[in-house]
Amino acid sequence: DESPWLAKRFGLSHVPAVLLFLKGTMYYYQSGSYSVDKLVHFAQTGYKKAGLSQVPPEPHVADSHERTFLMACVAVAVVSGALYLVDLLLQRTRQSKRRKAK
């Protein structure tokens, strides 16, 4: 509950969960018993028979909310730039019309 991003990253759905990280591979301890003997056996050789996967990468610096905010900022910047260009064109058109009228 305290670190939902860790649970999501490592695919944890229950507690306690024991994972062994070894040379870029993550091994899942799936026995119902958490005795010292069973855990030591898993860490020494039992992990070879366990479920495994690659260690998932760390999440991006910008989580989904931050990415949404950044995308909104980019959209505002693009629209602002477009409006600035339209304003410049309108000013030049007005100036051109004034010169022709004189």
Side-chain angles (χ1 to χ4, degrees):
D1 290 340
E2 292 179 25
S3 299
W5 63 274
L6 280 176
K8 182 177 177 182
R9 178 179 177 198
F10 297 116
L12 304 174
S13 59
H14 65 280
V15 175
V18 176
L19 302 173
L20 174 68
F21 299 91
L22 184 65
K23 297 180 183 176
T25 303
M26 183 171 65
Y27 298 89
Y28 298 91
Y29 178 74
Q30 298 175 346
S31 175
S33 171
Y34 293 95
S35 70
V36 172
D37 290 338
K38 293 234 179 195
L39 291 171
V40 168
H41 172 29
F42 172 73
Q44 291 176 341
T45 58
Y47 69 90
K48 295 175 185 176
K49 297 177 186 175
L52 62 100
S53 67
Q54 293 298 310
V55 175
E58 291 191 39
H60 190 273
V61 172
D63 69 9
S64 62
H65 296 296
E66 290 171 334
R67 275 185 247 141
T68 302
F69 175 74
L70 292 174
M71 295 282 285
C73 289
V74 168
V76 167
V78 168
V79 170
S80 297
L83 289 173
Y84 175 74
L85 292 175
V86 168
D87 187 50
L88 283 178
L89 289 172
L90 289 172
Q91 286 178 16
R92 287 184 183 172
T93 303
R94 282 187 223 125
Q95 289 172 353
S96 175
K97 286 182 181 179
R98 286 181 190 157
R99 285 186 198 136
K100 287 180 184 177
K102 288 182 181 183

